[in-house]
């Protein structure tokens, strides 16, 4: 899945997203990748941050968080992009 496409998808729904890699933390062998999301349909309960060792782990954690939000609100799971289907439709690996 292309992170920029996911960020655009989230922005279209009013969600602010920051995806970052910290070079100093990577050199030190620490969790260097970070994703932060806030705003959008979830309102005040919208802030989410995770620090992980890889970009894929950040993406997986973010999608799991978003899926949890959708399920708790009683919406259909299809409201979120399916990582494998989305990636394969663009010729990418999920």
């Amino acid at each position: 899945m292309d992170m920029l496409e996911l960020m655009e998808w989230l922005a279209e729904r009013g969600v602010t997203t920051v995806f970052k890699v910290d070079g100093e933390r990577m050199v030190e062998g620490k969790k260097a990748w970070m994703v932060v999301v806030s705003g959008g349909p979830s309102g005040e309960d919208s802030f989410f941050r995770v620090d992980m060792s890889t970009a894929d782990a950040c993406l997986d954690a973010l999608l799991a968080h978003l899926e949890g939000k959708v399920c708790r609100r009683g919406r259909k799971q299809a409201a979120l992009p399916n990582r494998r289907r989305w990636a394969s439709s663009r010729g990418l690996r999920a």
Side-chain angles (χ1 to χ4, degrees):
M1 174 182 292
D2 181 75
M3 180 56 80
L4 292 177
E5 287 179 286
L6 177 59
M7 291 174 74
E8 183 176 7
W9 184 87
L10 290 167
E12 289 168 352
R13 286 148 184 83
V15 178
T16 299
T17 307
V18 176
F19 190 67
K20 168 190 156 186
V21 62
D22 185 319
E24 289 180 18
R25 292 174 77 187
M26 187 170 281
V27 169
E28 294 170 358
K30 297 179 181 176
K31 295 178 181 178
W33 292 91
M34 178 188 72
V35 64
V36 176
V37 294
S38 64
S42 298
E44 292 179 14
D45 188 33
S46 67
F47 183 83
F48 173 78
R49 173 185 169 159
V50 66
D51 296 80
M52 305 297 277
S53 299
T54 67
D56 278 342
C58 272
L59 181 58
D60 288 340
L62 174 57
L63 289 173
H65 168 75
L66 294 171
E67 288 168 356
K69 290 275 187 198
V70 169
C71 290
R72 283 194 298 272
R73 291 177 153 272
R75 295 182 186 155
K76 293 183 180 177
Q77 196 71 11
L80 291 173
N82 177 288
R83 184 175 184 176
R84 291 197 176 168
R85 186 172 49 237
W86 194 16
S88 68
S89 73
R90 288 163 176 75
L92 305 169
R93 284 186 317 134

